[in-house]
Amino acid sequence: MTEHASTPSDDADDAESENDVWSRRSFVRYFAPISIAIPVIVETETLVGLLQNDFGEDSTWTQPTGVSVGIGGDLRPDLDTRQKLQNAVLESVGDGRRLRLVVAVRNTVDAPYRLELGAVTTGSGETIEGGYTTDPVAPDESTTFTAEYTLPADASPASIETTVTIGNQPSQKTVQLAPIPTQ
Amino acid sequence: MTYVDDFPGEARVVRTALAIAFASIGLGGALGVLQALYRTGYDRSLFSAVDYYSILTAHGVLMALVFTTFFIVGLFAWGVTRSLDTGLRDLRFTWGWLGLMTLGTVLAFVSVLGGIVGWIPTHAAVLYTFYAPLEASPTFYLGLALLIVGSWGAGVDYVLALRDWRADNPDERIPLQTFMAVATMLLWFVCTLGVAVEVVVFLLPWSLGLIPRVDPLLTRTLFWYFGHAVVYFWLLPAYFVWYTIFPKLSGGRLFSDPLARVVFVLFLVLSTPVGVHHQYGDPGLSQGLKFVQMTSTYFILLPSLLTAFTVVASMEHGARQRGGEGRFGWLRALPWEKPSFSGIALAGLAFAASGFGGMVNAGLNVNALVHNTMWVPGHFHLTVGTAVALTFMAITYWLLPQLSGKRLRLRTLAAVQPYLWFVGMVFMSNAMHRVGLAGVPRRTSEPQYEQVLFNTPIATMGELHLQTVGGALLLFVSLLCFLAVVVSTWLGDRGAEPIAVSGHIPEALSGPEHSPRILDDFRVWVALTLLLLLIAYGPPLAAMVQNGLFAPGSAPIPA
């Protein structure tokens, strides 16, 4: 029973009906094409969706607002100074929610430094005034502060206005916030 | 005369191995559906979030380790004896290693079951990757060790059969099926050394309390030394089917025997020195090492692409022999109504798709996007869960009549089953890939964190969960169809009808005489493999043990 030079296929004659219900034609015409068409459709939909997600009209790429910052992230990674979002929490208070942001800053440049946290914008687009401005921080010095905002019930913070002033040069930026844990 | 008449003892061995494999896939598949229902939140009433991990472990071990290994040793026992036209040397030895594998499987499975059933005093919720710091009962590690040692016995059996044949045929080229089986088992010997050391030297003594601690990085590295090559241990038997049987099922002949041998040699040499690409997220391994192993990983694309060419060329040749014409019209001439053909063709298609995902996994930087997300199980459900499993199921329809002398029954169910599996896997795997892109973690019973929003591209999480569950249910229905056909055939009467299949394998269009004889000299390829392993794993392993075998951590990198 070594490798024989036999006819290519010596299994049962292909013309013989091997199936009890459906004919060979059913498989060639329907089963095989449909089975192969399904992944083509599913994968094409996935690819088109991914492209629309990245480059379509509703794409976040068309409105570059920077990377979302979560706990442990730097609020202004575009600058040499350090302003780490040390903690962030949402608490229920009365008929609203209190947002507390704990920020640790470190002045790593040779000029006076100041960080101002401005208004917060909620997911529904509402602007919540409030914030905190540090005293001038000397070079190589650090400080930590807490900023608080009162948001409507069920509102979540989406972004916050920041201004970093180094010397006399202010730098403003809207920072996107990652989802913040609720206590 | 058919195989069961020529080799009744060997046929019994093969049937037993296949029976255990099918019991494993049946049980493992049922657990898979439960997991899908739990993870997606459709039903969380059957077990707890903690029990989920025991069930996940059982699913992985039964499907990826037990089903595959038992099927492979059975398939190769058939292929070696059929192609050499000689029985195994001593069937008592053969039953011995099969018994050892079975004992190991029972031990390992009962150990996992202990995590769910209170009166069994064991636990093993360590997933099928089972490296530290997760710890299982000693019986789990012992069971896996026996399973592997038993499979080594299978490899020894095939090599002995080849040696006996070689003594009688000193100038002949090794028959292709035996060449492939031996090459695969040599790969298995080489790659299981890592996991054997991990289990016997570290995990088993650790779980017995003989040593206080192990180095997680070292055990992970030893596991992945084995853990990527094992993918090829699963895949090469599928290639064995694709190269040697599938061309005949298509109506033609293998395009090139030399190319098939080159592919298996390349896999033997290149499969193991690439395991670090599973550890891109691990600290303690240098970026340089990761980069080198990434490039080695991409070398493995070569034999897979060679396979794609050869198998499709063989399929086209078969179709044209059957009267197929035109640039794509020949596809219609193929026997899509035969489950042994359609299952393998669809498995090959799934493997092509998973190859692209594999390139993403292998990329050092792109991997960071998908590492430890659901993308990864989505990927290997396409590779081992479809390319391998569907091939094994499909070839069972062709093999079982030869092993039992009984004609295949419930043939309509058999004819539909591969299509159900393929479509089910398309839905489930696609959804797994997509939620993986959104960052949904793998190996997590309840991945819906209250304050974490998964930004799914295209559909919502709910829609993707529905797609996952729908796919899983289709897969389970397909599995039930397969088991129904197998059980029905098994219980059928012998000789009632002609079995309608023949074990003859036609010669390749380009035979082994067109290739250099050195391809058949496994000593050369094993030596080359060991040399590459020394280069790939010598320096990192030396760094890990410099502070002591059992001390966690390694020297800081960069120093």
Side-chain angles (χ1 to χ4, degrees), chain A residues 1 3-4 6 8 10-12 14 16 18-22 24 27 35 42-43 46 49 179-182, chain B residues 6 82 85 248 251 253 322 332 334 337-338 398 407 411-412 415 419 422 430 451 458 500 502 504 507:
Chain A
M1 222 188 316
E3 313 288 320
H4 294 287
S6 58
D10 46 9
D11 286 355
D14 293 334
E16 180 186 344
E18 279 289 315
N19 306 298
D20 302 327
V21 179
W22 288 300
R24 164 176 159 70
F27 283 89
S35 297
V42 169
E43 296 301 332
T46 304
I180 290 174
T182 306
Chain B
D6 290 331
R82 192 211 66 82
D85 198 14
K248 168 188 165 150
R253 297 179 180 180
R322 294 164 60 92
R332 297 173 62 84
L334 291 166
E337 77 284 7
K338 291 194 172 182
W398 183 79
R407 189 182 176 104
R411 291 186 291 274
T412 300
Y419 295 98
F422 181 71
N430 174 271
Q451 294 303 323
I458 315 157
S502 154
H504 286 311
E507 284 181 349

Side-chain angles (χ1 to χ4, degrees), chain A residues 1-25 27-29 31-40 42-43 45-50 53 60 90 97 156 178-182, chain B residues 3 6-7 82-85 175-177 248-249 251-253 321-322 332-338 346 349 398 407 410-412 415-416 419 422-423 426-427 430 434 437 450-453 455 457-458 467 500-502 504-507:
Chain A
M1 222 188 316
T2 49
E3 313 288 320
H4 294 287
S6 58
T7 54
S9 177
D10 46 9
D11 286 355
D13 186 353
D14 293 334
E16 180 186 344
S17 174
E18 279 289 315
N19 306 298
D20 302 327
V21 179
W22 288 300
S23 65
R24 164 176 159 70
R25 179 175 290 187
F27 283 89
V28 174
R29 282 197 172 175
F31 278 79
I34 291 172
S35 297
I36 292 169
I38 285 173
V40 171
V42 169
E43 296 301 332
E45 184 215 354
T46 304
L47 178 63
V48 170
L50 283 170
N53 197 50
T60 51
L90 273 171
R97 305 176 96 184
S156 296
I180 290 174
T182 306
Chain B
Y3 182 82
D6 290 331
F7 302 105
R82 192 211 66 82
S83 62
L84 295 179
D85 198 14
L176 186 57
Q177 285 193 327
K248 168 188 165 150
L249 298 176
R253 297 179 180 180
Q321 295 293 105
R322 294 164 60 92
R332 297 173 62 84
L334 291 166
W336 294 102
E337 77 284 7
K338 291 194 172 182
L346 295 173
L349 207 57
W398 183 79
R407 189 182 176 104
L410 302 181
R411 291 186 291 274
T412 300
V416 173
Y419 295 98
F422 181 71
V423 172
V426 165
F427 284 129
N430 174 271
R434 278 155 70 172
L437 285 178
E450 193 179 344
Q451 294 303 323
V452 175
L453 300 176
N455 183 20
I458 315 157
Q467 189 176 318
V501 291
S502 154
H504 286 311
I505 307 288
E507 284 181 349

